[in-house]
Amino acid sequence: PGSSEVVKVMENTCPPMTPTARLNLGHLISACVHLARVAGRVIRETHKQGQLGAHNKKNDSDTQDARQMQASEVLTIADLRSQHVIVSNIRAIFPGIRLVGEEDEEDSKNEAEKLGETPKISLEDIPLLENLEAPPGLAESLTLADTCLWIDPLDGTIEFVRGNLQHVCVLIGIAIKDRPVAGVVLEPFVAHENTHGLVTYGVVGIGVFGDRQRPFGAAPDVLTPAMQEKCSHFARIRQGMEHLRQMGAAEPVISQAAGQNLLRVLRGQSSVFVQRPGASRWDTCAGEALLMAVGGKVTNLEGTPYQYLQGAPDYGNAEGLIAARTEDIHAKALHAMSESGGEPCEKRAKTG
């Protein structure tokens, strides 16, 4: 289903909600899809203007070319503008909702205000998606107290700066009781018969939908692992990939950005995505939910699922990632990584 690009500037009048108030799943997913599209438009417009304002968000004195920085260090004004349009409207439509965004909210607000008034979107402006009635168990848990959104307003920032736009995504994951249950992923620069970007969304227990005629696919006949280029230097993963090859797997596919790699597994373009310690919960919540909705499995390199706990000391995926299209593929990848002889994943020093 599509979403209108028309954005009305108006005040939201939603009344306050109590922590035990139940959210409407259809309304929540529809809002996330619509706001991801609006954020995608903001990202495209910022890119078209050519003034990205790329800099090191962890070190103000770093003057090197942003394209040479670590992925976790780079921030652009598109990241901030995208986050503000999502976060400000989600908070207005669903007062009291919990969320975690990658970027600082005050910085996002200040950057967005440079463009003038941020579009204010009410539920009445949002085209409601169909076939999103929550199963009984999910409906019981869908409360303000138990629901938290995990938002990466521009996944693949370093690729955005480098001009590799096909790797860029907007990610909105929905966790209930600290585990992913739904996800929305927008590829703002991937047209595929839609000049406003390509959206994929889904809910565990319901399914996966989107702009593509077939938003998900079966795993390749030959086990095809994928990883980011930086992971090839991580001993445990390098050795694990060698064990997979000995088991008959294909050579690993190199593809950048966590969100895009999780989509590739969902679509059957790769069988499993393996990542070293370094990503964060907002990088994986949406994609993990989408994979779970079609029978996939996502854990750390030790085989333990991540908890998506707001207020945790660290939101990093400190034990790496195995994201597989099926449980059987996950078991093979987990075995290969366990047999690699590498040390248990060390506490990660930085996110990315």
Side-chain angles (χ1 to χ4, degrees), residues 1 13 25 28 47 51 65 67 79 91 110 121 134 137 169 231 248 263 277 279 284 323 332 347 350:
T13 57
L25 179 66
L28 182 58
H47 180 265
Q51 301 297 320
D65 189 321
R67 291 171 292 183
D79 295 78
R91 289 198 186 283
N110 292 338
I121 302 167
C169 291
C231 293
L263 275 182
T284 54
K332 292 178 180 177
K347 183 73 176 175
K350 50 194 173 185

Side-chain angles (χ1 to χ4, degrees), residues 25 29 138 142 147 173-177 179-183 202-207 285-286 288-290 292-293:
L25 179 66
I29 299 295
L138 177 57
L142 198 63
T147 303
I174 301 172
I176 294 181
K177 296 183 178 178
R179 288 290 297 144
V181 299
V203 183
V204 177
I206 296 180
C285 186
E288 180 171 353
L290 293 176
M292 290 171 62

